[in-house]
Amino acid sequence: MKTNCENCPLRQLDLFEDMSKDELQFMSRFKTGEFIAQPGTEILAEGASSSQLYTVLDGMGMRYKTLEDGSRQVVGFILPGDFIGLQSGVMGEMKHTVEAATRMTLCVFNRSELWDLFKYQPRRAFDLTHVAATEEFLLGEMLAAVGQMNAMTKIAWVLNRFYKRLTALGLNENDQVPLPYRQQDIADAMGLSLVHTNKTLAKLRSQGVVTWSSEMLTVHRPNALAELGLSAGVPAIRRPLI
Amino acid sequence: MKTNCENCPLRQLDLFEDMSKDELQFMSRFKTGEFIAQPGTEILAEGASSSQLYTVLDGMGMRYKTLEDGSRQVVGFILPGDFIGLQSGVMGEMKHTVEAATRMTLCVFNRSELWDLFKYQPRRAFDLTHVAATEEFLLGEMLAAVGQMNAMTKIAWVLNRFYKRLTALGLNENDQVPLPYRQQDIADAMGLSLVHTNKTLAKLRSQGVVTWSSEMLTVHRPNALAELGLSAGVPAIRRPLI
DNA sequence: CGAAAAGTTGAAACCAATCAAATAGGGTGG
DNA sequence: CCACCCTATTTGATTGGTTTCAACTTTTCG
C-alpha cells in the first residue's frame, strides 16, 4: 500500500511548492513506509525522543501541551501536508504531544537519515527550515488571536482559518469542509471555556454565519466570518512539502 | 569595532553549543559587520523583506505583531544570542516587527549568503533549523501561558522566564537582572490590560516575591516565583549560536 | 438498549477590562 | 538648576465578558 512520492496527491496542490526530479528521488529513498494512526491515538508524546518523523498524507490531528496544573493548550491543528516531529528531529525531544483526531495516514521517515538530508540535499534542508519558520509563523498568529481577541473574534478566527486551510487542500465542497474536532479542542486552542465556546458557536449559528455539526463545517457567509475573525485580507501561505 | 567571532563573548556561555574551528571560520566570513540600534528603533518591520539577518550581541528588544484592529501582541522578547530575521531569510518576509528596547549591538549577515551556508555548512544549516525549532518551542510555551493561566500565574511565569534566561546569560548579579521593558510590553505579551498587569505586579511586590523598578528585576524568593509561574521543574534549553 | 461522551442551556460568581484621575519619573529648554 | 512637559506607573471605582456550577438533551458506540 506504499504510495510513491511521484504520485503523491498532495504534490499536485497549488498550496505546496514544486519539487525537482532529483529531490523527488531522494524523498522516495528517505521515506521508509507508511503508518496508519487510529483516532485518539498519541502519535508522538511530549518529552519523547522519536526515531521517526512523519508527513501527514491523510486525516487530521492536533498538537497540545499539558501544563503543570493539568490544563491543556492545543498549539496547533494538523492537516494533510503537515510535517510532524521536527522538534524531536533537531532538538532531541518533542515539546508537545501529537494526537490523531481521525484515522490518519502518515508518511514515515527515519530520523537517522535526517543528517543525510542536510549533507546531500541542501535545497531540501532549506525547505525543512522553511517549514519550521512556517510553524513559528502559525504559532505567532495563534498567540496573537488568543492574547488579543475576545471570544466571538477568536471563534470566528479559528473557524475561518480552518475553512481557508481546508479549502486550499481541496477539501471544500459547496462551502462545506470536514471539521472532525470536539468543541473542547477548539476551547483549549483559543483559551476559552467549553461552555463559552459552545455559546459563541450558537451565536454564529443563529446569525446565519456558519453551521457546524456532525464533523462538517458549513460556511454560509464567508465574508462575514472573515471579518468577524479579523482576517479579511490575509493571504494563504505557500510552503514546501517534506 | 568589529569583534571577531573567535572571541565572541557569547560563545563562552554554557547556554550555547560549541562550535568547531571550521564553523567558526565560516561564520567569520559570513558576518559582514556590526550594527548599532538605538532604543525604540524598528530593526525589522512586519511584511518587510530584509536582505540582512542578525544575531544579537548585546542589548534587548522584542518581537510583536499588530492586528487589524490595532492591538499589539508581543510574541517574544529578544536577548543576547537570539537570531533575528529567520522568517525573512527563508520565507521572504518578516511576519512580525522587531524593535529595540535598549541600545543593541547586532552581528550582521547577508541573506544572499544564507544559501552558501546550506550548501557548504550542513552542520550550521542544521543548527539554524535547531534555532527555528527552539523559537517554535518558546512560542508554544508562551501560547500555553497566555491561553491557560490567570493573571498572577502569567506575570509570575514571564518574570521567572526572564530571570532564568538572563541568569543563563550571566547577567544575574545578586538576584538582580536587567529588565528594560515597560509594563505595557509585558501586558501585551501576556494578553492582559496594563492596569491589571500593574496591579498584579504590586501584589507580587507586597508579597515580597519580586521588585521591579528602574529597569532592574530583583527576585527575593526565586522558588516562590517559579511555583507561582508553574515553572518549578522546567530546565534551561541549550541551543546553538548562529 | 444502556452507558458514556459530546453538546446545549440557564443562573450565579468572579476575574479582568475599562474608566478616571492622581503620582512619579525623565528629559529638555529656559 | 529648576520649571515644565511628556511618558510611565499607580490606585480606586465600576462595568462586563467569561468562567464556573448545575442540569438536561443529544449523539455515539459497544
Side-chain angles (χ1 to χ4, degrees):
Chain A
M1 273 287 252
K2 172 169 163 176
T3 310
N4 233 328
C5 296
E6 275 80 10
N7 35 25
C8 175
L10 292 171
R11 270 187 50 239
Q12 327 302 333
L13 296 168
D14 281 341
L15 176 61
F16 301 109
E17 290 173 2
D18 296 329
M19 226 181 270
S20 76
K21 202 139 196 170
D22 186 43
E23 286 167 1
L24 212 49
Q25 272 178 18
F26 180 85
M27 291 318 285
S28 286
R29 280 207 316 282
F30 190 25
K31 175 173 173 178
T32 61
E34 282 180 17
F35 172 65
I36 306 287
Q38 296 305 324
T41 311
E42 261 190 15
I43 295 170
L44 290 174
E46 188 169 349
S49 164
S50 164
S51 54
Q52 260 100 45
L53 311 173
Y54 309 93
T55 290
V56 180
L57 287 180
D58 189 56
M60 305 188 193
M62 57 194 171
R63 311 174 193 266
Y64 62 81
K65 296 169 83 73
T66 306
L67 280 76
E68 289 196 4
D69 67 353
S71 59
R72 182 182 77 146
Q73 173 68 44
V74 171
V75 294
F77 294 98
I78 298 176
L79 271 46
D82 284 3
F83 189 69
I84 301 175
L86 186 74
Q87 289 183 340
S88 170
V90 300
M91 295 176 66
E93 71 172 65
M94 288 300 289
K95 299 302 181 181
H96 56 251
T97 301
V98 176
E99 186 178 307
T102 67
R103 183 174 189 276
M104 295 179 80
T105 308
L106 305 165
C107 210
V108 184
F109 309 106
N110 270 332
R111 182 186 161 189
S112 54
E113 288 172 50
L114 188 62
W115 178 237
D116 277 359
L117 187 148
F118 275 90
K119 219 162 159 185
Y120 303 121
Q121 294 283 330
R123 173 70 218 179
R124 291 267 75 198
F126 189 89
D127 286 346
L128 197 66
T129 310
H130 190 158
V131 166
T134 304
E135 284 293 320
E136 183 197 341
F137 161 64
L138 293 175
L139 266 178
E141 295 270 286
M142 192 147 162
L143 177 58
V146 172
Q148 303 300 322
M149 297 175 176
N150 60 25
M152 174 57 83
T153 310
K154 282 180 183 178
I155 298 295
W157 180 87
V158 73
L159 293 183
N160 182 65
R161 164 175 280 289
F162 272 123
Y163 186 66
K164 289 288 164 59
R165 283 185 71 189
L166 289 164
T167 298
L169 285 168
L171 297 174
N172 182 332
E173 289 175 18
N174 301 320
D175 302 327
Q176 283 205 146
V177 293
L179 199 60
Y181 298 99
R182 292 164 301 166
Q183 295 187 358
Q184 184 70 65
D185 299 329
I186 305 296
D188 288 345
M190 304 313 294
L192 295 171
S193 71
L194 169 62
V195 173
H196 202 54
T197 298
N198 179 287
K199 286 173 179 170
T200 307
L201 284 167
K203 201 173 284 181
L204 279 173
R205 196 184 318 131
S206 75
Q207 290 178 359
V209 181
V210 300
T211 317
W212 177 24
S213 65
S214 51
E215 311 202 330
M216 286 299 270
L217 174 72
T218 309
V219 180
H220 302 108
R221 301 169 52 202
N223 294 335
L225 184 65
E227 274 168 35
L228 280 170
L230 294 183
S231 312
V234 181
I237 299 259
R238 198 173 142 94
R239 59 189 172 83
L241 184 68
I242 302 296
Chain B
M1 274 289 252
K2 172 170 163 175
T3 310
N4 234 328
C5 297
E6 275 81 9
N7 35 25
C8 175
L10 292 171
R11 270 186 50 241
Q12 328 300 335
L13 296 168
D14 281 341
L15 176 61
F16 301 109
E17 290 172 3
D18 295 329
M19 226 181 270
S20 76
K21 201 136 195 172
D22 187 42
E23 286 167 359
L24 211 51
Q25 271 177 18
F26 180 85
M27 292 316 286
S28 285
R29 280 206 316 281
F30 190 26
K31 176 174 173 177
T32 60
E34 282 180 16
F35 172 65
I36 306 287
Q38 296 304 326
T41 311
E42 261 190 16
I43 295 170
L44 290 174
E46 188 170 349
S49 164
S50 164
S51 53
Q52 260 100 45
L53 310 174
Y54 308 93
T55 290
V56 180
L57 287 180
D58 189 57
M60 306 188 193
M62 56 194 173
R63 310 175 193 265
Y64 63 81
K65 295 169 84 75
T66 305
L67 281 76
E68 289 195 5
D69 68 352
S71 59
R72 182 182 76 147
Q73 173 68 45
V74 171
V75 294
F77 294 99
I78 297 176
L79 270 46
D82 285 3
F83 189 70
I84 302 175
L86 185 74
Q87 289 183 339
S88 170
V90 298
M91 295 176 63
E93 71 172 65
M94 288 300 289
K95 299 302 181 179
H96 56 250
T97 301
V98 176
E99 185 178 309
T102 67
R103 183 176 190 274
M104 295 179 79
T105 308
L106 305 165
C107 211
V108 184
F109 308 106
N110 271 332
R111 183 186 160 190
S112 54
E113 288 171 51
L114 188 61
W115 178 237
D116 278 357
L117 187 147
F118 276 90
K119 220 163 162 185
Y120 303 120
Q121 293 283 329
R123 174 70 220 178
R124 291 268 74 198
F126 189 89
D127 286 346
L128 196 65
T129 310
H130 190 158
V131 166
T134 304
E135 284 293 319
E136 183 196 343
F137 161 65
L138 292 176
L139 266 179
E141 294 269 285
M142 191 147 163
L143 178 57
V146 172
Q148 304 300 322
M149 297 175 176
N150 61 26
M152 174 57 83
T153 310
K154 282 180 182 178
I155 298 295
W157 180 86
V158 72
L159 293 183
N160 182 64
R161 164 174 280 290
F162 271 123
Y163 185 66
K164 289 288 164 58
R165 283 186 72 189
L166 290 163
T167 298
L169 285 168
L171 296 174
N172 182 332
E173 289 175 18
N174 301 319
D175 303 327
Q176 283 204 147
V177 293
L179 200 60
Y181 298 99
R182 291 163 302 166
Q183 295 187 0
Q184 184 70 64
D185 300 329
I186 305 295
D188 288 345
M190 304 312 295
L192 294 171
S193 71
L194 170 62
V195 173
H196 202 55
T197 299
N198 179 286
K199 285 174 180 171
T200 307
L201 284 167
K203 201 174 286 181
L204 280 172
R205 196 184 318 131
S206 76
Q207 291 176 0
V209 181
V210 300
T211 317
W212 177 25
S213 65
S214 50
E215 312 203 330
M216 287 298 270
L217 174 72
T218 309
V219 180
H220 302 107
R221 302 169 52 203
N223 294 335
L225 184 64
E227 274 169 35
L228 280 171
L230 294 183
S231 313
V234 181
I237 301 258
R238 197 173 141 95
R239 58 189 173 83
L241 184 69
I242 302 297

